[in-house]
Amino acid sequence: MKTEWRIFLIIAVFLLGATALYGAWTYGDSGGHVEWVGTVALLLSFLLCAMCGGFFWFVSRRIDLRPEDRPDGEIADGAGEIGFFSPGSYWPFGLALAAAIAGLGLVFWQFWLLGLGLVLVIFAACGLLFEYYSGTRRTAEH
């Protein structure tokens, strides 16, 4: 996690500098008016990278070093089972379709389409999340 938080925070510092430079440049170039859309977009990008970097830094302090974080780490140290990955699922397609419907509702400012899309996004996200938790409940007795 050490590598991840460093990358995100380096990008965040760059974006903060780019925000200040962009704001000053547009202020001087347009005769005393800052171009707010680009400035706010860069500022929000900085905040997003800083938030991700801060999260990775916070997590990296609480877990043991991974093999890729140690200077003496070998490739074989990372061998073994990583976790469970779904072999195939249709829920990501449904989630993308629902997000597209919600996006169309937002673009054309149709509240009924936006509401339908958001309901479908919640349904598809729940379907994706609980895909392997459905069915009969197993107990320790069986």
Side-chain angles (χ1 to χ4, degrees), residues 56-135:
F56 285 134
W57 173 74
F58 185 76
V59 169
S60 72
R61 294 181 351 160
R62 284 164 174 66
I63 63 172
D64 294 332
L65 285 177
R66 301 176 303 169
E68 54 265 25
D69 291 333
R70 295 191 329 249
D72 63 338
E74 296 290 330
I75 293 175
D77 294 339
E81 186 175 328
I82 296 174
F84 174 74
F85 299 96
S86 177
S89 174
Y90 293 110
W91 286 111
F93 177 74
L95 186 61
L97 186 64
I101 291 171
L104 283 173
L106 190 62
V107 165
F108 293 113
W109 209 241
Q110 298 294 318
F111 293 113
W112 66 272
L113 191 59
L114 178 62
L116 175 70
L118 291 177
V119 168
L120 290 175
V121 163
I122 291 171
F123 177 74
C126 289
L128 182 64
L129 181 65
F130 296 116
E131 182 174 13
Y132 292 101
Y133 293 104
S134 61

Side-chain angles (χ1 to χ4, degrees), residues 1 9 11-12 16 20 26 29 36 61 66 72 101 104 106 138 141:
M1 291 284 183
L9 290 182
I11 293 171
L16 185 62
T26 58
D29 197 35
W36 288 108
R61 294 181 351 160
R66 301 176 303 169
D72 63 338
I101 291 171
L104 283 173
L106 190 62
R138 297 174 195 223
E141 298 169 2

Side-chain angles (χ1 to χ4, degrees), residues 37-50:
V37 175
T39 306
V40 171
L42 284 169
L43 183 65
L44 290 176
S45 299
F46 155 73
L47 290 173
L48 180 64
C49 284

